[in-house]
Amino acid sequence: MKNKFITILFVLISVLSFAQAKGSSEEIQIKKSLTYFVNSIKAKKMNQAVDCIYPKYLTVISKEQMTQILEVTYNNPLLKIDIGDLNFGVIEKPELIDGEYFSITNYGFKLQCDVSSTNDETQNKIETALNTKYGQGNVKVLKKGIYVINAKMRACAISKDKKYWKFLILEKNYKPQLVRILPKKILDKI
């Protein structure tokens, strides 16, 4: 009797552990879509990356402008950025609002930023901006003009069918643009 109880308990714990590790199907799809987005940027396929952005946002900033912003940021000879070690934090359960599902997604990655080809003044300004944006404890100087950043990010994943997700980066300074396209319930979480 004692052996049966221990066996049943072990099986139950194993099943529960597997279920928690696996995550919901929505969570898996969000991770898959976000990984595709980040890998598109990493591979410098900016048009592909822009296709991962929530289409309503492209009514605020045109697709061409967004592509250009990504090109200048991630494909710039003066500002070399490498993305690595994508990891996921809490992914909220999707909420249905006006026919679309919204999920706040926490994620992070390591950025290596090399601006060593710029002058000292520019390097100092960039270092200050990185510390302001990511927090002083998350920016390490490898050597003058080369930084490793532990970037902790938040995005809103949006889908009509819970299978294909589009994204918006959530930062307080983007809120004036996002007010026009996100429901108040989601905006209140920024």
Side-chain angles (χ1 to χ4, degrees):
M1 183 71 166
K2 187 176 179 182
N3 285 341
K4 282 184 181 181
F5 176 73
I6 291 173
T7 303
I8 291 171
L9 184 63
F10 178 73
V11 169
L12 183 61
I13 290 171
S14 297
V15 168
L16 289 174
S17 296
F18 177 73
Q20 286 179 343
K22 185 179 174 203
S24 70
S25 63
E26 293 97 357
E27 193 173 306
I28 291 166
Q29 290 303 113
I30 290 169
K31 286 179 180 180
K32 183 179 173 182
S33 295
L34 188 57
T35 300
Y36 179 79
F37 175 55
V38 171
N39 285 339
S40 296
I41 292 172
K42 195 175 183 178
K44 303 195 185 320
K45 296 179 179 178
M46 300 312 163
N47 287 328
Q48 192 172 292
V50 170
D51 288 340
C52 298
I53 295 171
Y54 185 47
K56 287 183 183 177
Y57 187 69
L58 300 175
T59 63
V60 177
I61 293 178
S62 75
K63 187 173 184 173
E64 293 76 24
Q65 286 175 305
M66 196 69 210
T67 304
Q68 189 175 25
I69 289 167
L70 290 174
E71 285 285 347
V72 167
T73 305
Y74 294 101
N75 207 7
N76 183 335
L78 296 176
L79 176 70
K80 296 176 188 136
I81 297 178
D82 291 317
I83 301 171
D85 298 336
L86 176 63
N87 58 72
F88 295 94
V90 174
I91 297 175
E92 292 183 5
K93 186 178 187 306
E95 293 182 64
L96 181 61
I97 303 171
D98 297 328
E100 292 181 305
Y101 293 94
F102 295 84
S103 173
I104 304 297
T105 303
N106 295 284
Y107 66 101
F109 46 79
K110 294 276 186 214
L111 284 176
Q112 184 164 330
C113 180
D114 181 347
V115 294
S116 59
S117 62
T118 62
N119 64 39
D120 284 348
E121 183 182 346
T122 302
Q123 288 178 24
N124 291 337
K125 285 180 182 176
I126 289 172
E127 185 173 339
T128 300
L130 291 173
N131 281 314
T132 300
K133 180 174 175 84
Y134 298 107
Q136 212 155 16
N138 291 315
V139 179
K140 293 182 182 158
V141 180
L142 289 182
K143 62 181 184 177
K144 186 73 173 151
I146 301 176
Y147 311 94
V148 173
I149 301 133
N150 182 23
K152 295 176 183 172
M153 308 287 290
R154 289 181 82 208
C156 184
I158 304 141
S159 176
K160 289 187 181 292
D161 61 7
K162 293 187 185 179
K163 292 179 185 165
Y164 302 101
W165 295 86
K166 302 291 182 172
F167 297 94
L168 286 173
I169 304 302
L170 298 180
E171 292 185 13
K172 287 189 192 282
N173 57 330
Y174 296 162
K175 199 168 182 174
Q177 296 168 336
L178 300 177
V179 158
R180 297 191 263 170
I181 54 176
L182 284 177
K184 183 178 180 343
K185 189 173 185 180
I186 301 302
L187 285 168
D188 290 344
K189 295 181 182 185
I190 298 176

